[in-house]
């Protein structure tokens, strides 16, 4: 299970005028959807595909609710999920705005 990556040079130079290089992951193949994940998980367990799909769907619903309530969700072995905001450098003049 290798990760594929490529080097990409930043279009923006740092304070020394150097455009640094960064790694970017390359996606391979088609996106795996919830049904496909449920099929594989069901093969590895005593649960039916429908049971697994129900659990995965409920996990997404609950995670979304917790994230929208400004909480962090940690799934051990997978990752930590949190909401972020970004203004993309387009701020406003005052905090009230």
């Amino acid at each position: 299970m290798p990760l594929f990556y490529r080097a990409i040079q930043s279009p923006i130079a740092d304070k020394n005028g150097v455009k640094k290089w960064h790694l970017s992951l390359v996606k391979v193949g088609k996106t795996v959807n919830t049904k496909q994940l449920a099929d594989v998980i069901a093969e590895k367990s005593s649960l039916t595909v429908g049971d697994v799909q129900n659990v995965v769907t409920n996990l997404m619903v609950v995670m979304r609710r917790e994230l929208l309530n400004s909480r962090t969700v940690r799934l051990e072995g997978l990752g930590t999920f949190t909401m972020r905001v970004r203004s993309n450098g387009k701020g406003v003049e005052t905090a009230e705005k």
Side-chain angles (χ1 to χ4, degrees), residues 1 15 24 52 69 74 80 82 95:
M1 295 187 295
K15 61 183 176 183
S24 176
V52 174
N69 283 318
R74 178 176 295 118
T80 302
T82 187

Side-chain angles (χ1 to χ4, degrees), residues 7-10 19-23:
I8 295 179
Q9 189 174 30
S10 173
K19 293 182 179 180
K20 295 191 176 182
W21 290 84
H22 304 275
L23 293 180

Side-chain angles (χ1 to χ4, degrees), residues 1 3 9 13-14 20 22-23 29 36 39-40 42 45 53 58-59 62-64 69-70 76 82 84 88 95:
M1 295 187 295
L3 288 176
Q9 189 174 30
D14 66 10
K20 295 191 176 182
H22 304 275
L23 293 180
Q36 293 166 318
D39 289 341
V40 175
S45 71
Q53 279 185 294
N58 287 329
L59 173 66
V62 172
M63 281 184 66
R64 183 176 191 275
N69 283 318
S70 298
E76 286 79 11
T82 187
R84 296 180 68 188
N88 292 329

Side-chain angles (χ1 to χ4, degrees), residues 22-49:
H22 304 275
L23 293 180
S24 176
L25 290 176
V26 176
K27 305 295 186 242
V28 178
K30 296 179 180 178
T31 299
V32 179
N33 64 31
T34 305
K35 168 83 170 76
Q36 293 166 318
L37 286 175
D39 289 341
V40 175
I41 294 169
E43 288 174 8
K44 297 180 176 290
S45 71
S46 62
L47 301 172
T48 67
V49 173

Side-chain angles (χ1 to χ4, degrees), residues 67-87:
L67 290 168
L68 290 173
N69 283 318
S70 298
R71 293 199 172 95
T72 298
V73 177
R74 178 176 295 118
L75 299 178
E76 286 79 11
L78 181 62
T80 302
F81 302 83
T82 187
M83 296 290 282
R84 296 180 68 188
V85 295
R86 188 187 297 185
S87 62

